[in-house]
């Protein structure tokens, strides 16, 4: 069944559970890229990986550890050609992210290297609390950084269709004030 299908796809999961040192995490990612031929690695999420590597007295060093992980990931990409997607939490602020507040580079939690090191940064925004079902189930895909050609802004909007279990691109309109509206149901 599903286990055999996943086994044939070259899909690997390593649950770091945050109990491993940075050197171990990076060694496993390098093994995946070189020995297993993995083309894309998703590190979900960098804050948990960094925080769990720190001792109770080291919480002020989370930023430095994230900087080091980002540097090591960049080096791994250059050496092996692997693509790494890094999931980042957002800073606690007065913004209501669960209500669709716009995400900026400054909202990434932990370190300035999260904004400076990557070639591309993509934010997913959704107003989960909206009474309109279409809006509550539509995610705005916003490019915050694009080192390859410089284009940034809203790339698309994706509606999750509960009936089909699939995500579908949907029409959207961006207002002059930056708000995004979707086709009502």
């Amino acid at each position: 069944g599903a286990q055999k299908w996943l086994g044939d796809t070259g899909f690997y999961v390593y649950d770091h559970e945050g109990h491993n040192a940075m050197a171990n995490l990076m060694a496993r990612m390098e093994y995946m890229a070189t020995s297993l031929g993995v083309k894309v690695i998703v590190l979900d999420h960098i804050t948990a990986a960094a925080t769990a590597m720190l001792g109770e007295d080291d919480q002020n060093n989370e930023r430095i550890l994230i900087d080091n992980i980002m540097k090591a990931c960049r080096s791994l990409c250059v050496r092996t050609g692997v693509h790494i997607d890094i999931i980042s939490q957002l800073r606690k602020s007065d913004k209501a992210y669960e209500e669709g507040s716009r995400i900026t580079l400054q909202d990434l939690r932990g370190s300035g290297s999260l904004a400076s090191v990557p070639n591309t940064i993509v934010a997913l925004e959704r107003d989960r609390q909206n009474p309109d079902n279409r809006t509550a189930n539509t995610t705005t895909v916003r490019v915050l950084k694009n080192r390859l050609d410089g284009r940034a802004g809203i790339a698309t909007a994706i509606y999750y269709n509960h009936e089909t279990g699939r995500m579908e691109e949907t029409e959207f309109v961006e207002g002059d004030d930056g708000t995004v509206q979707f086709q009502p149901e």
Side-chain angles (χ1 to χ4, degrees):
Q3 190 171 14
K4 167 132 180 45
W5 178 82
L6 279 175
D8 292 341
T9 65
F11 178 79
Y12 302 93
V13 175
Y14 170 61
D15 186 359
H16 61 78
E17 296 180 0
H19 299 300
N20 293 299
M22 185 174 132
N24 188 31
L25 177 62
M26 297 313 301
R28 289 187 185 257
M29 290 172 61
E30 182 141 3
Y31 172 76
M32 289 178 190
T34 57
S35 298
L36 299 177
V38 169
K39 303 289 184 221
V40 176
I41 295 174
V42 178
L43 177 57
D44 184 10
H45 56 79
I46 193 166
T47 310
T51 302
M53 290 178 196
L54 296 170
E56 286 182 27
D57 300 330
D58 295 331
Q59 295 309 308
N60 291 333
N61 294 325
E62 177 183 286
R63 182 190 57 76
I64 294 167
L65 188 51
I66 289 174
D67 285 346
N68 291 336
I69 293 170
M70 292 297 292
K71 246 190 287 184
C73 285
R74 181 68 172 199
S75 175
L76 180 63
C77 291
V78 170
R79 276 195 327 279
T80 67
V82 72
H83 174 98
I84 301 177
D85 287 333
I86 298 175
I87 311 301
S88 173
Q89 288 184 318
L90 300 174
R91 294 180 196 267
K92 290 185 185 210
S93 72
D94 58 352
K95 290 185 178 181
Y97 299 115
E98 70 280 356
E99 294 177 11
S101 286
R102 183 175 173 181
I103 298 170
T104 67
L105 288 175
Q106 291 74 31
D107 294 323
L108 302 176
R109 177 182 160 193
S111 166
S113 65
L114 290 169
S116 64
V117 172
N119 288 335
T120 307
I121 300 174
V122 177
L124 304 177
E125 304 165 348
R126 183 166 65 101
D127 183 357
R128 312 185 302 206
Q129 309 297 322
N130 197 293
D132 173 60
N133 186 52
R134 186 77 180 187
T135 300
N137 289 288
T138 301
T139 300
T140 301
V141 179
R142 185 182 304 272
V143 177
L144 301 179
K145 179 179 178 183
N146 180 348
R147 190 174 277 155
L148 302 177
D149 72 6
R151 289 185 292 175
I154 298 176
T156 192
I158 304 171
Y159 170 70
Y160 178 73
N161 185 326
H162 286 275
E163 291 178 23
T164 64
R166 298 200 179 263
M167 298 185 89
E168 309 159 353
E169 273 195 272
T170 188
E171 297 294 321
F172 66 91
V173 176
E174 185 175 8
D176 293 337
D177 60 354
T179 59
V180 182
Q181 295 184 349
F182 312 103
Q183 286 181 337
E185 280 196 308

